[in-house]
Amino acid sequence: TVRVARPADRFTVAMSLADHPIYGEYRFELRDRNGQVLWAGRRPGRSLLGDRGTSVSVSGIDPGMYRLRVEGLRENRGELLAEYVLAVERQETPQ
């Protein structure tokens, strides 16, 4: 569960790709509960070499259930490496 406080409405997901094979490129997707892609991005594999992990910052989404998918890409073919389920809740800031 991710609790997002106003006014930031932003959080960062840290993940490790250390136990996965190295790919030429990685694709990240954030999907809503209906499977619709809300955001997608790619990062070259060499930018993650020597790194024990990476992070993705998310902002501007409403409370609800989401999936963050990570694929390794090789010759435009993707292999699902990880899928994270995120429950986003709004946390009101104390006055």
Side-chain angles (χ1 to χ4, degrees), residues 14-91:
M15 63 199 81
S16 175
L17 301 174
D19 58 345
H20 296 289
I22 297 171
Y23 290 86
E25 193 171 26
Y26 294 92
R27 177 178 168 84
F28 298 86
E29 287 183 346
L30 182 68
R31 297 179 178 212
D32 66 13
R33 69 179 328 134
N34 298 319
Q36 180 179 352
V37 177
L38 302 175
W39 173 86
R42 293 183 179 208
R43 295 192 184 160
R46 66 185 171 280
S47 70
L48 301 178
L49 289 177
D51 191 2
R52 301 294 291 171
T54 189
S55 63
V56 175
S57 293
V58 180
S59 62
I61 62 173
D62 294 324
M65 299 295 289
Y66 298 90
R67 291 186 183 275
L68 179 63
R69 296 172 49 94
V70 183
E71 295 180 333
L73 300 177
R74 198 175 281 140
E75 299 168 5
N76 277 343
R77 297 180 66 157
E79 179 182 346
L80 182 62
L81 301 177
E83 186 171 53
Y84 300 89
V85 177
L86 305 173
V88 177
E89 296 178 353
R90 184 75 60 217
Q91 177 180 331

Side-chain angles (χ1 to χ4, degrees), residues 2-11 58-61 63 88-94:
V2 177
R3 290 182 177 83
V4 183
R6 291 186 184 269
D9 288 344
R10 176 184 187 96
F11 62 92
V58 180
S59 62
I61 62 173
V88 177
E89 296 178 353
R90 184 75 60 217
Q91 177 180 331
E92 295 303 321
T93 327

